Amino acid sequence: MAGDCRASAAVALEVRALLADSGVREDPVTGSLNAGLACWLTGADAPDGGHRLTVPFEAGQGAAVGRDGRVRVSADEAGELWIGGDVTVGVHGQILA
């Protein structure tokens, strides 16, 4: 879920990733969710029929669960969107084939 915050906050969006029946109620910061939202909300298919958000912008996520994160959305010269931000590693591992 995402709400437009441009009129009153330091971020363009406040994002929440609510996870039903997963054992985790909410993911504090989700790069892949923010990437999908950025594609949708900056593209020609945006809800208002045009470019609803312009890059660069910053989204906030996790404030409701005490993990106030920021996700930065930018674009390169070709118009490809890039998602970035600072991270805290919660799990480290290796996948063995």
Side-chain angles (χ1 to χ4, degrees):
M1 144 172 67
D4 187 340
C5 299
R6 290 175 286 176
S8 62
V11 294
L13 294 174
E14 183 64 33
V15 177
R16 296 191 68 187
L18 306 174
L19 309 169
D21 300 327
S22 69
V24 176
R25 285 193 258 169
E26 184 168 349
D27 191 339
V29 182
T30 312
S32 57
L33 173 60
N34 279 278
L37 285 169
C39 287
W40 182 51
L41 293 174
T42 61
D45 293 333
D48 69 355
H51 293 279
R52 182 171 180 182
L53 287 177
T54 56
V55 292
F57 69 87
E58 193 168 273
Q61 188 177 351
V65 292
R67 302 271 304 274
D68 195 16
R70 295 287 183 263
V71 176
R72 291 184 294 278
V73 179
S74 61
D76 62 20
E77 292 91 19
E80 295 292 322
L81 294 178
W82 288 85
I83 307 300
D86 299 322
V87 300
T88 300
V89 177
V91 176
H92 184 269
Q94 183 177 7
I95 298 174
L96 301 174

